[in-house]
Amino acid sequence: MKQKESQADQAMPAALDEQMSFESALIRLEEVVRVLESGELSLDVALSTYQEGMQLVGFCRERLKNAEQRVEQVTAAQGELLHTAFLAEEIKG
């Protein structure tokens, strides 16, 4: 179990990089979920990993919100009367 904790510590970035791409953040979030679901982390490591996951969720939501706004601006700039509303389910595909 100690080896798993050290692997989780090594994989966790010290701070969320604002220049990180949405795709990189999503990949890291999937890794965090996998590690947490394993159930092999100590409580302290699990809590810090969970905190990182929540930061990644917020980061991804913000990036999606910004992308939605940009699409709406481009659509409006093209003279379209269409208002494109994105739902999380539509984005997942």
Side-chain angles (χ1 to χ4, degrees):
M1 184 156 101
K2 196 68 169 167
Q3 183 180 8
K4 294 249 183 208
E5 288 179 19
S6 64
Q7 288 173 348
D9 288 338
Q10 291 172 358
M12 282 192 338
L16 188 61
D17 179 7
E18 291 301 318
Q19 299 302 313
M20 178 184 280
S21 71
F22 172 81
E23 293 78 11
S24 295
L26 195 56
I27 289 168
R28 178 61 190 148
L29 182 57
E30 289 170 351
E31 291 171 0
V32 166
V33 169
R34 227 179 351 266
V35 169
L36 287 171
E37 286 179 342
S38 76
E40 297 181 11
L41 301 177
S42 69
L43 180 60
D44 290 337
V45 173
L47 286 172
S48 63
T49 303
Y50 177 79
Q51 183 177 9
E52 179 193 359
M54 293 308 295
Q55 290 172 338
L56 288 163
V57 166
F59 177 85
C60 289
R61 283 184 179 158
E62 186 65 28
R63 288 289 172 110
L64 287 173
K65 180 179 147 190
N66 291 341
E68 178 182 354
Q69 290 172 348
R70 288 180 63 194
V71 168
E72 289 176 355
Q73 288 172 350
V74 168
T75 302
Q78 296 297 319
E80 300 279 343
L81 296 177
L82 175 66
H83 173 77
T84 306
F86 288 102
L87 299 175
E89 293 80 31
E90 290 176 332
I91 294 172
K92 287 181 186 176

